[in-house]
Amino acid sequence: MRKALCLGTSGLLIAAALSFAAEAQETFKIGAPVSISGRYVAYGVQGKNGIEMAVDVWKKVRGDKVAGRTIEVLFRDTQSNNAITVSLMNNFILTDKVNVIIGPDGSNVAAAAVPPWKKIEDRPIWLLPGGSSDVIEKEVGPDPYFFHTYAWSYYYHESNLKALKALVGPNKKVALIYSDGAYGRAHIDDARHYIKEAGYEIVSDELVREGSADFNPTLAKIRARRPDILYVLVQTNDAIQLTKQIQASRLNVPYLIGTAQAQLPEWQNAVGESQSCWTGVTTWVPGLSYPADKNEPKLFPSAADWEKAWMEKFKAVPEFLEVGYYASTILTLLAVEATKSTDREVLKKWLEEQHYQTPLGDSKFIKSRVALHQTFGEMVVFQRQKKADGTFEGVLIYPEQIATGKLKPCTY
Amino acid sequence: MTPILELINIRVGYGQSVVLQDVSLNLREGEIVCLLGANGAGKTTTTRVVSGLLAPWAGEIRYAGENIATVPAHKRVELGICLSPEGRQVFPNFSVYENLLLGSFSKKARLRRTEMFDEVYGLFPRLAERRKQKAGLMSGGEQQMLAIGRALMGCPKLLMLDEPSLGLGPKIIIDVYEAVASIAKRGLSILFVEQNVQAALMIAHRGYVLANGHIAAEGTSAELRSSPLVQEAFLGKKPSRQDLSEVHRA
Amino acid sequence: MLKITNLSKSFAGLRAISDLSFDVPAGQFFGIIGANGAGKTTLLNLITGYMPPSSGTIEFEGKAIHGLPPYKIAHLGIGRTFQITQPFAEMSVLDNVMTGALFSQNGGRRSIAEARTMCDEPLRIVGLTEQASLPAGALTLGGKKKLELARVLATEPKLLLLDEVMGGLTHDEIEDLIAALKRIHASGTTVVMIEHLVHVILDLCEHVFVLNFGRELFRGSPNDVVSHPEVIEAYLGKPLEAREGA
Amino acid sequence: MNTRTFGLLLGAVVLIVILSIPVFGSPSAVDITFRTCSLIALAVSWNLMASAGLISLGHSAFFGLGGYVVILSANLLGMPFWISLIASLAAGALFGSGLALITGRLRGIYFAITTLAASEGLRVIAVMLPALTGGAKGAFLDAKYYPGTFTVNMGMSLAAAVTCLIAWRMSQSRIHYAFRAMRANEGAAQMLGIYPLKFRCAIMAVSGAVASLVGGIEAFHGGYLDPAIAFDLHITITSQIAPILGGIYTLSGPIIGAVATVFIGDATRLSLGHIEGVSLLVFGLILVFSILYLPQGIRGGLSDLWRRRSATAEPTKMAKP
Amino acid sequence: MDLLPQVFSDALLLAGLYTLMAVGLSLGFGVLRIINFAQGEMIMLGAYGAFWGLTLLGVDPIISLPVLVVAGFALGWLIFRGFVAKVLDAPHINQILLTFGLALAIQHIAIILWSGNARSATTAYATESAFVGDVLVVYSRLIAFAIATIMVVALIAWLRWSETGRATRAVAENRAAAALMGIDVDRIYAMSFGVSCALSVATGVVVSFILTITPFMGFPMLIKSIAIVILGGLGSIAGTVIGAFVLAFSETFVSYYVPDGAGWAEGIAFLLIIGILILRPRGILGQTVET
């Protein structure tokens, strides 16, 4: 009896081990840490949508498998919590043995994912379509397996200031507002750097509290300085009430410069008329005129077509994270398909050499300040302008070759 | 004539400890009955059970013939059972006037509010003088008057007073007792707890003596006044040398 | 041993204790009586440091103790019971008593096992040996009173302050407790007792102090006290006829 | 089997499991053990204070403090793993006893709120001193001070084990009597010669040191810290949920509760984690219903069951005061 | 330019908002002795209510205020009867965790229903303002101040002069004595929990056009409300008003006059709490519900 039991158990174990091995051969596993509860839930849902859309399109275009392997996406909820993110990363790498990690979202959570990934020697390739904070870049360093598919914070300010210098001219007075949250702190140093480099004078440099109930003290102090440009570095939630309060407080600043928030439908809906005149800088905005890729027109259609397909599936305008997750997922699938391999060296080499025209722009990886692989960092500057019918649109104002309109000073 | 209040075999306590053991007593309409007994004998617990602050573990509480053991405290006020509780329990941050207003919170009492105000102010002119004063800032005697007045504002048929003379100066005790006596003349039934045995038996028609949660003795005031049982219950044991009456005679 | 001089305490302008002075010599069995609200418990609270006096001094064995926190006073060897019993309800009866043994002036040097043995005597004295493992909250009122006494006895006090320990006890229990207190007293402990039950005071006390409205009404031997008409009036109430006549 | 042998048995099993898993366990077992041990230590630490009547709403203050001490002492002073942890331990003990001194008169809800304020205050300081702490964008532990997975996991297992041993030792010592007496009635406790402030300082130092140590090991484990993470109220709440779920004021309760909390958390996250918002919704509801229907915790529920099974007519459990 | 008049006006308007925000918590605690950790979620629900009213039905938040307040009262009543009533006599920590669990659940129900996206009601007056001399007055804040004042005055009047309000105060002071007055204590409990939720819902409506609405907006407001209530003394309505003013004025002053003050301002609340509790363990004013 006991012997039978022993045999049975070991048989089961062997079977399990075999099936595990077989599965490992046949499956391509993507580990997707996404924050779908907790405070980053809005981002997490976008990341999840992007990946799901990519897998759907892939299956439609190329069939259910990639290089003969079943595609398996392991969505795991970070609960916007760093300890859980650490545990997720460990489990992805050590237990699930995923081939690629895509995500997570939210600066803190992305930062928390870096050390557990980095300290494991045979870590898989990691594509990060978010997380712009320069501390993440510094911490990851020149890691061969890290692929950042989003702009670093300093790209924003470089582009912004280039646009300002070209469109507004030299010798301006700038007032800076930044939050004490992760977003403001991650951006402020580079913002100051590029503003000074442009030869502008910072007349007011104001810290605000994340989630503050009243920005009036800050605005009153800025009003007294009469700046030409108001440069705002706050995260979406704060941006909403700050934008409304800026309009209410009649600052009479001709140029209102923001970063990412102005292209978010979330922000536009919440601030209504107050969005007028704000400029934003982003990697992707609806209405970009990127063409379809020559070789993979179905996976990477033109920006306009892709947007249409997205609208059909989700009944909503896609947001930049969604495009980023989409493009990153498609790229990894293409890599596996092309190389017939899940070996990270092979994939890495392929990713380094690939070059597509995606709905998010050119996919070629370049070196950034510290990181080895960086793409989708091309930024466009646009301004929210009121159309004749009373609705607002994002008018591209920089770089000049894709500009669809001109920067207009504020009227209120 | 049915008693207005009848307790039948009430058993109750706090947590795990039993305080009242098979207590039965009754009170007829218009009667003044006092509850006597040493500290901790269960007098206050009895008033809490009757007023509904404490649910009995067993037994019946009959009020005008109905068992009200499960009726919540606030509904008993509506029925006409009002208690001036131990330690007065006036609302210290409320004015005298507001305390009295609260006394007539029940719907029935609200209708007769003006009338009752006149009556209470008539009974305790001191309260009328101090109607704007915060109750917490008044002296003990005034608070006691307020507690009684507040109970009267509820238009009780059965009024319970828990130690109305507690901590009062001798002069104020006179006032309070005169008030109690005059309330009694109005024909409502009064159940009161008193440690001042002599005084209590002066105004009560009948009395019950509680000892360790039992009814140790009952009878008319006259009977109790001369009963050695009273002293026994009150003093914890039968005094051998210093029988109370002897002390008094001395 | 205990010396109280010109002690006063007021609450929000009301005088609870006014200008009391008395001594309790070592070894005496001292009784304090008075009607409810006369200020007896307040007096105890002042002696044991739960409230600071408004004025006046309290000395114990020649040292001023007013203003000391209660735990220091306890360490000097003053133990008390509370009129409203304050057992540690979730702890067993034994653990309650052991807490007394562990933290008194000698408690710091005691092991748990020693403290455990020390508790047998107090538990036996009050008659709670059999209930030692029950949670204190499950005791009857009388049981809690006994527990109060056992717990304070375990602190080995030099001066024992008792606040109505007899309330709620049965006749037999009272008899037992009286005997126990006699033994405790005989072993050299000074006792100050607040009590309602006159016969207990008469039975035990060598000296009685009568409080009325926070003031001294009378002091003397028990028999003097009970025969003093003013005391009788204040304490047992006076017949109402006199007043009705007035 | 009585509760005592049950407790000892459980303790022995827990000890063996948490100490052997870092050595033999699979990566996922190691991961889950690490998180469970972290919560065990936090829960026992919270329960220590609670058992002396001190309800802490600011355990994240200790946790975050420990984390920052580790990151700063490693990054700035180059202190190795064990020394950094000792520093975090000391910081937690100091902060705990300091808090005990300034909250000396406060009890109940007032004490709880002060600890909450202390935690939030530390968070503001961490946010507003970016030069020191990295501010809201956070700080990474310099990777060269990472002592290796095994050391960190073993460190946490040891921390949990030692915490449980300390709690067990305390439950056997005279201090335990003082705590229970203080919890029941600080006034009466004083009359028996107990100086509450002394014991408050002691217990808050121990409890603070443990929570701070956990924060320190977590900082090594995660390698990244920012103020929102370090002083997250959820740390406080989970360190409360575990003892309440398991059985407050007991030795085994926090341990049982920590295991249950990690289990429930993982189960909801893994089974419901793909639907937006659902996993924490379910967690919240489980919390609500366990408070309503298991007010004595799992341990209380189990011993009720036990009692009903056993034929002996034991006295029924005391109603809560 | 002299900033002082502006500082005062900003602080005053903020104080109004803070008062409304904290007064619900204060009432709930004063009567029930429970700190309701789900109070912030009531603010959140009120804000969403006003937002959806405006977005879907085109009803201005000020118009929908009465309806939402009544709905908030009903919701509070239900939550009390369903959950809170069962832990009234439980230890504080159980009450805290129960209400915290409720808060977590409500937050995530909001995520499921309305996603985690940030929103804000875009009314015409939300972004209008006028200069009074040198002082800029933002209309939305003025409206919020007015509504807050009306609600708080109404609350105080209700507590002071209405039969039920007086009964509520009586229950807060002495539950047993109140029952002896013929007051249905359970009903008063449910009602005051309802009123406290209704006040928080009103706060939500008021902030819907000023602040950003997210499922997580409630918690920081709860923490701040706790700070205010503690400052003023748990349970004292007048104290809460004072606490709100103390906090609003000190935050605004620090924001204006201290370098990086806007960031430090948040810490003031906690510094004040610790300071006040150490000096005056019962807060600025008393313990029970007073007006």
Side-chain angles (χ1 to χ4, degrees):
Chain A
M1 178 65 201
R2 177 176 288 189
K3 199 174 175 186
L5 208 69
C6 269
L7 271 177
T9 319
S10 46
L12 272 177
L13 279 176
I14 291 166
L18 280 177
S19 70
F20 182 74
E23 202 183 44
Q25 241 177 23
E26 284 178 359
T27 322
F28 175 62
K29 283 191 190 174
I30 300 174
V34 285
S35 308
I36 44 185
S37 51
R39 60 199 154 124
Y40 298 128
V41 61
Y43 300 149
V45 171
Q46 290 169 20
K48 186 164 162 270
N49 289 347
I51 296 178
E52 277 177 347
M53 174 82 171
V55 174
D56 276 7
V57 170
W58 179 269
K59 286 182 175 169
K60 239 178 260 163
V61 176
R62 292 287 172 89
D64 282 352
K65 298 196 169 183
V66 56
R69 294 169 171 83
T70 317
I71 304 167
E72 192 184 348
V73 185
L74 305 173
F75 286 113
R76 295 274 193 271
D77 187 1
T78 69
Q79 300 190 330
S80 310
N81 175 319
N82 89 309
I84 291 184
T85 307
V86 170
S87 153
L88 283 183
M89 290 302 270
N90 279 334
N91 279 320
F92 274 147
I93 302 171
L94 298 172
T95 308
D96 301 322
K97 307 216 182 295
V98 297
N99 305 101
V100 169
I101 294 172
I102 303 179
D105 39 76
S107 283
N108 296 339
V109 173
V114 177
W117 177 76
K118 229 192 146 188
K119 76 190 167 208
I120 296 169
E121 203 45 56
D122 50 350
R123 50 186 173 274
I125 283 180
W126 181 15
L127 285 91
L128 183 60
S132 62
S133 170
D134 61 331
V135 289
I136 295 179
E137 188 187 14
K138 276 183 207 134
E139 184 63 19
V140 174
D143 192 287
Y145 308 111
F146 179 73
F147 292 82
H148 193 237
T149 53
Y150 187 66
W152 295 114
S153 58
Y154 46 86
Y155 288 33
Y156 289 79
H157 309 298
E158 200 181 1
S159 307
N160 251 346
L161 268 299
K162 267 188 203 159
L164 284 173
K165 248 190 334 190
L167 304 173
V168 183
N171 299 328
K172 298 290 170 196
K173 288 190 286 184
V174 181
L176 261 171
I177 297 182
Y178 65 103
S179 77
D180 65 358
Y183 194 89
R185 295 277 195 206
H187 281 265
I188 181 64
D189 292 338
D190 287 312
R192 281 186 195 132
H193 170 81
Y194 285 106
I195 290 169
K196 280 182 195 148
E197 203 185 66
Y200 290 170
E201 185 198 355
I202 299 175
V203 292
S204 191
D205 192 345
E206 294 290 334
L207 176 103
V208 294
R209 180 158 38 105
E210 204 176 33
S212 171
D214 192 3
F215 292 114
N216 241 355
T218 307
L219 297 178
K221 281 195 270 185
I222 288 175
R223 188 187 304 119
R225 298 300 179 91
R226 306 200 171 285
D228 305 305
I229 296 169
L230 183 65
Y231 202 98
V232 174
L233 305 167
V234 297
Q235 198 251 341
T236 321
N237 286 358
D238 293 321
I240 289 171
Q241 79 194 63
L242 183 59
T243 304
K244 291 173 91 172
Q245 211 166 344
I246 285 173
Q247 192 192 358
S249 58
R250 300 158 179 248
L251 282 185
N252 278 325
V253 178
Y255 300 103
L256 302 175
I257 312 299
T259 47
Q261 76 273 21
Q263 99 274 16
L264 299 175
E266 196 181 347
W267 175 83
Q268 293 156 10
N269 292 335
V271 301
E273 292 287 316
S274 310
Q275 65 186 284
S276 174
C277 176
W278 276 88
T279 79
V281 54
T282 183
T283 53
W284 192 85
V285 63
L288 274 179
S289 54
Y290 294 135
D293 185 73
K294 280 185 225 87
N295 299 320
E296 299 288 352
K298 284 186 171 155
L299 295 173
F300 290 136
S302 72
D305 287 347
W306 184 85
E307 199 184 317
K308 212 183 291 164
W310 182 278
M311 299 271 283
E312 229 161 77
K313 184 173 162 72
F314 291 100
K315 315 283 177 244
V317 183
E319 311 215 8
F320 67 98
L321 273 180
E322 292 172 323
V323 196
Y325 273 83
Y326 176 87
S328 306
T329 311
I330 294 284
L331 276 183
T332 54
L333 292 171
L334 279 171
V336 179
E337 179 89 344
T339 59
K340 308 274 177 247
S341 166
T342 52
D343 184 81
R344 65 172 177 175
E345 293 300 331
V346 179
L347 291 178
K348 174 192 147 231
K349 194 150 180 294
W350 186 90
L351 280 173
E352 280 172 347
E353 286 164 5
Q354 56 76 33
H355 192 168
Y356 289 94
Q357 178 62 51
T358 76
L360 188 51
D362 197 332
S363 71
K364 190 169 173 51
F365 283 101
I366 55 161
K367 279 187 185 173
S368 59
R369 269 188 199 167
V370 188
L372 292 179
H373 309 301
Q374 156 68 44
T375 190
F376 304 137
E378 283 168 59
M379 306 213 75
V380 295
V381 182
F382 61 93
Q383 186 176 33
R384 300 299 298 175
Q385 291 180 0
K386 203 167 190 170
K387 289 194 291 191
D389 66 355
T391 59
F392 285 88
E393 65 175 343
V395 174
L396 295 171
I397 52 170
Y398 192 84
E400 271 143 40
Q401 53 272 30
I402 59 154
T404 55
K406 285 218 167 338
L407 174 66
K408 293 180 189 161
C410 300
T411 46
Y412 67 83
Chain B
M1 188 171 142
T2 47
I4 185 159
L5 177 76
E6 198 174 3
L7 300 191
I8 305 169
N9 294 331
I10 291 292
R11 200 162 72 82
V12 74
Y14 303 93
Q16 304 241 321
S17 43
V18 181
V19 178
L20 294 185
Q21 194 80 262
D22 295 323
V23 166
S24 299
L25 57 83
N26 63 68
L27 182 65
R28 284 185 292 274
E29 223 160 285
E31 202 175 24
I32 307 177
V33 170
C34 66
L35 278 176
L36 303 170
N39 269 11
K43 299 169 305 214
T44 294
T45 305
T46 309
T47 64
R48 286 171 64 86
V49 167
V50 176
S51 64
L53 292 178
L54 194 64
W57 296 352
E60 276 182 42
I61 307 164
R62 297 190 154 272
Y63 174 72
E66 307 256 346
N67 186 4
I68 55 162
T70 55
V71 174
H74 64 272
K75 294 233 172 92
R76 296 194 199 183
V77 177
E78 207 76 57
L79 291 173
I81 304 177
C82 294
L83 168 67
S84 157
E86 182 193 31
R88 306 183 275 263
Q89 312 281 343
V90 295
F91 299 104
N93 288 310
F94 285 64
S95 67
V96 169
Y97 173 72
E98 278 187 310
N99 264 285
L100 294 175
L101 274 182
L102 277 166
S104 57
F105 180 81
S106 72
K107 285 191 197 86
K108 230 191 288 170
R110 246 180 258 183
L111 300 174
R112 297 176 54 195
R113 198 169 254 172
T114 346
E115 178 191 334
M116 291 313 291
F117 261 118
D118 291 344
E119 195 158 320
V120 170
Y121 283 154
L123 209 52
F124 302 110
R126 187 91 65 105
L127 294 182
E129 286 162 27
R130 307 212 154 191
R131 71 183 82 190
K132 294 230 166 92
Q133 170 112 38
K134 265 197 179 184
L137 299 177
M138 300 203 304
S139 74
E142 289 165 333
Q143 287 189 17
Q144 190 63 61
M145 292 177 197
L146 179 56
I148 298 171
R150 195 179 59 174
L152 279 173
M153 288 295 292
C155 306
K157 290 185 202 136
L158 168 63
L159 178 67
M160 288 185 288
L161 307 170
D162 197 338
E163 304 229 12
S165 69
L166 182 71
L168 301 186
K171 285 189 192 113
I172 303 174
I173 292 184
I174 298 176
D175 291 349
V176 168
Y177 272 102
E178 278 170 357
V180 172
S182 76
I183 295 163
K185 280 179 199 137
R186 209 153 307 170
L188 84 177
S189 320
I190 299 178
L191 176 67
F192 75 108
V193 167
E194 191 46 89
Q195 60 161 340
N196 188 333
V197 185
Q198 297 303 328
L201 293 176
M202 286 303 145
I203 61 167
H205 301 133
R206 283 193 304 129
Y208 290 88
V209 180
L210 273 167
N212 293 303
H214 301 272
I215 299 285
E218 61 171 294
T220 63
S221 295
E223 284 163 5
L224 288 176
R225 218 171 299 167
S226 54
S227 160
L229 271 173
V230 175
Q231 282 117 43
E232 180 180 330
F234 207 72
L235 300 177
K237 82 163 198 185
K238 188 177 172 129
S240 45
R241 290 180 297 165
Q242 282 83 21
D243 190 68
L244 251 184
S245 44
E246 281 175 38
V247 171
H248 275 292
R249 250 173 266 134
Chain C
M1 187 173 211
L2 182 71
K3 184 176 166 67
I4 285 173
T5 322
N6 302 328
L7 192 68
S8 294
K9 175 72 187 174
S10 3
F11 299 106
L14 295 174
R15 288 211 139 184
I17 296 285
S18 24
D19 205 23
L20 285 188
S21 300
F22 63 86
D23 297 316
V24 181
Q28 197 173 50
F29 209 120
F30 190 90
I32 299 175
I33 61 171
N36 271 359
K40 293 166 296 180
T41 298
T42 305
L43 178 58
L44 241 54
N45 283 340
L46 291 173
I47 297 172
T48 50
Y50 282 83
M51 305 166 175
S54 303
S55 64
T57 60
I58 306 168
E59 283 169 48
F60 178 67
E61 295 183 319
K63 267 184 296 189
I65 59 165
H66 51 271
L68 288 182
Y71 77 95
K72 280 199 178 152
I73 291 174
H75 282 172
L76 292 174
I78 300 182
R80 78 172 280 191
T81 67
F82 294 91
Q83 178 190 5
I84 299 160
T85 58
Q86 314 209 340
F88 308 132
E90 286 173 32
M91 297 166 80
S92 70
V93 168
L94 176 65
D95 284 357
N96 264 274
V97 182
M98 278 173 73
T99 309
L102 282 167
F103 298 95
S104 57
Q105 72 259 48
N106 303 316
R109 284 176 290 280
R110 237 168 239 147
S111 75
I112 296 208
E114 281 169 328
R116 167 77 195 74
T117 13
M118 261 194 63
C119 294
D120 290 341
E121 176 70 6
L123 282 172
R124 196 185 49 73
I125 289 178
V126 301
L128 278 176
T129 313
E130 276 162 33
Q131 283 104 309
S133 62
L134 278 186
L139 294 176
T140 60
L141 184 66
K144 286 178 185 155
K145 292 265 183 192
K146 293 182 197 169
L147 175 59
E148 284 273 321
L149 183 58
R151 195 170 65 181
V152 74
L153 286 178
T155 68
E156 301 173 300
K158 292 182 234 171
L159 172 64
L160 183 58
L161 309 175
L162 303 175
D163 197 349
E164 301 208 10
V165 280
M166 305 289 177
L169 302 191
T170 63
H171 300 181
D172 293 343
E173 286 172 330
I174 290 174
E175 290 301 322
D176 293 347
L177 216 51
I178 287 174
L181 286 175
K182 279 182 178 157
R183 249 176 294 143
I184 293 162
H185 180 230
S187 70
T189 310
T190 313
V191 184
V192 173
M193 174 183 231
I194 292 177
E195 194 47 75
H196 250 86
L197 303 182
V198 180
H199 77 276
V200 175
I201 294 277
L202 299 178
D203 206 355
L204 285 169
C205 296
E206 299 156 77
H207 194 84
V208 178
F209 188 87
V210 187
L211 264 179
N212 199 24
F213 297 100
R215 291 170 197 284
E216 175 181 347
L217 183 69
F218 185 77
R219 64 174 105 186
S221 76
N223 284 321
D224 290 349
V225 167
V226 287
S227 54
H228 194 279
E230 252 185 274
V231 175
I232 294 164
E233 186 186 275
Y235 187 52
L236 296 172
K238 105 177 123 180
L240 215 57
E241 296 127 313
R243 267 172 271 163
E244 276 178 350
Chain D
M1 185 154 76
N2 63 25
T3 28
R4 193 184 152 80
T5 42
F6 172 74
L8 285 177
L9 211 68
L10 182 92
V13 170
V14 167
L15 258 181
I16 292 166
V17 168
I18 65 181
L19 290 178
S20 58
I21 282 185
V23 186
F24 305 109
S26 70
S28 59
V30 170
D31 175 76
I32 205 165
T33 309
F34 179 86
R35 284 182 293 128
T36 311
C37 283
S38 166
L39 188 53
I40 287 179
L42 284 175
V44 171
S45 137
W46 185 88
N47 190 54
L48 277 178
M49 264 169 74
S51 61
L54 303 169
I55 296 296
S56 159
L57 276 181
H59 244 52
S60 49
F62 303 119
F63 180 91
L65 184 70
Y68 273 111
V69 166
V70 155
I71 292 222
L72 293 178
S73 57
N75 286 3
L76 298 183
L77 309 172
M79 291 209 255
F81 181 69
W82 296 109
I83 311 238
S84 305
L85 288 189
I86 290 171
S88 72
L89 202 85
L94 268 176
F95 189 70
S97 45
L99 204 56
L101 283 177
I102 64 168
T103 57
R105 287 161 64 193
L106 300 176
R107 289 193 207 167
I109 202 85
Y110 295 95
F111 175 84
I113 300 248
T114 315
T115 58
L116 177 66
S119 172
E120 288 290 305
L122 283 185
R123 188 177 58 76
V124 173
I125 291 172
V127 165
M128 290 308 291
L129 295 177
L132 195 63
T133 62
K137 77 177 165 178
F140 286 95
L141 178 81
D142 192 331
K144 70 173 179 259
Y145 297 109
Y146 184 68
T149 318
F150 174 77
T151 314
V152 171
N153 285 303
M154 201 47 163
M156 189 60 97
S157 289
L158 280 173
V162 170
T163 308
C164 294
L165 285 178
I166 291 174
W168 177 73
R169 271 301 297 151
M170 279 190 167
S171 74
Q172 303 294 308
S173 76
R174 58 195 291 274
I175 301 175
H176 188 51
Y177 291 83
F179 289 161
R180 288 190 291 163
M182 280 161 62
R183 184 174 87 226
N185 189 327
E186 234 172 60
Q190 287 207 42
M191 203 53 246
L192 302 181
I194 293 169
Y195 181 24
L197 193 60
K198 188 173 99 184
F199 289 99
R200 277 181 169 213
C201 274
I203 194 68
M204 286 184 68
V206 172
S207 175
V210 168
S212 178
L213 175 72
V214 172
I217 303 177
E218 286 266 13
F220 272 112
H221 179 70
Y224 170 77
L225 206 59
D226 72 35
I229 290 166
F231 302 106
D232 192 348
L233 190 90
H234 281 78
I235 292 162
T236 304
I237 297 287
T238 43
S239 6
Q240 295 168 350
I241 287 174
I244 300 276
L245 202 59
I248 193 171
Y249 308 141
T250 62
L251 203 57
S252 56
I255 302 172
I256 298 173
V259 174
T261 309
V262 171
F263 175 77
I264 295 171
D266 276 21
T268 53
R269 186 164 53 81
L270 293 177
S271 61
L272 305 166
H274 51 287
I275 318 169
E276 161 181 14
V278 172
S279 67
L280 286 179
L281 165 64
V282 172
F283 191 79
L285 290 177
I286 290 177
L287 178 58
V288 168
F289 285 101
S290 57
I291 299 271
L292 288 183
Y293 297 107
L294 269 181
Q296 304 282 338
I298 296 172
R299 200 178 170 284
L302 279 181
S303 53
D304 274 355
L305 212 67
W306 219 298
R307 208 170 298 131
R308 243 172 281 162
R309 286 265 184 90
S310 62
T312 52
E314 277 180 68
T316 45
K317 207 172 162 60
M318 269 298 300
K320 253 191 304 325
Chain E
M1 184 175 100
D2 185 16
L3 277 176
L4 209 57
Q6 183 73 52
V7 178
F8 263 94
S9 125
D10 285 359
L12 185 71
L13 295 183
L14 187 63
L17 192 60
Y18 279 180
T19 307
L20 183 58
M21 186 171 88
V23 85
L25 189 77
S26 178
L27 177 74
F29 183 82
V31 178
L32 295 147
R33 305 278 128 178
I34 282 183
I35 289 196
N36 176 14
F37 270 63
Q39 200 87 37
E41 276 50 49
M42 296 296 141
I43 299 179
M44 183 264 285
L45 290 178
Y48 270 105
F51 173 79
W52 289 118
L54 181 70
T55 313
L56 299 180
L57 308 172
V59 182
D60 192 280
I62 298 172
I63 311 291
S64 57
L65 179 75
V67 180
L68 289 167
V69 162
V70 171
F73 177 83
L75 181 65
W77 186 293
L78 288 177
I79 290 179
F80 179 81
R81 288 282 188 225
F83 303 100
V84 179
K86 301 191 165 79
V87 292
L88 268 184
D89 299 318
H92 274 312
I93 184 67
N94 290 29
Q95 300 165 343
I96 287 173
L97 286 182
L98 178 96
T99 52
F100 180 80
L102 284 175
L104 204 61
I106 295 173
Q107 256 174 34
H108 285 84
I109 289 171
I111 289 177
I112 292 167
L113 292 178
W114 306 312
S115 86
N117 284 346
R119 301 163 199 273
S120 191
T122 49
T123 55
Y125 50 80
T127 50
E128 281 179 15
S129 59
F131 276 101
V132 180
D134 260 356
V135 177
L136 179 86
V137 180
V138 178
Y139 288 165
S140 57
R141 301 218 162 236
L142 200 61
I143 291 168
F145 184 80
I147 294 177
T149 311
I150 292 166
M151 300 290 297
V152 173
V153 168
L155 173 73
I156 290 177
W158 176 73
L159 283 173
R160 187 132 203 97
W161 289 297
S162 85
E163 207 72 52
T164 351
R166 200 180 299 120
T168 305
R169 282 189 294 142
V171 169
E173 280 203 0
N174 190 331
R175 184 172 161 179
L180 290 177
M181 304 297 106
I183 297 166
D184 184 347
V185 175
D186 283 343
R187 211 172 129 258
I188 293 290
Y189 277 168
M191 181 177 296
S192 37
F193 199 83
V195 171
S196 90
C197 288
L199 286 165
S200 293
V201 165
T203 314
V205 175
V206 163
V207 300
S208 70
F209 50 85
I210 299 177
L211 306 183
T212 307
I213 307 167
T214 74
F216 307 104
M217 67 188 292
F219 197 75
M221 293 186 149
L222 169 78
I223 298 287
K224 186 151 283 178
S225 308
I226 291 180
I228 291 167
V229 171
I230 290 281
L231 279 181
L234 279 172
S236 158
I237 303 289
T240 302
V241 177
I242 295 174
F245 273 76
V246 168
L247 189 64
F249 272 84
S250 41
E251 278 190 356
T252 309
F253 268 82
V254 169
S255 294
Y256 269 102
Y257 294 111
V258 173
D260 279 352
W264 288 112
E266 192 179 7
I268 292 171
F270 309 114
L271 198 71
L272 282 176
I273 289 185
I274 295 179
I276 291 270
L277 281 184
I278 290 165
L279 296 176
R280 276 190 68 97
R282 295 272 180 258
I284 296 173
L285 290 185
Q287 246 261 296
T288 49
V289 172
E290 297 168 43
T291 46

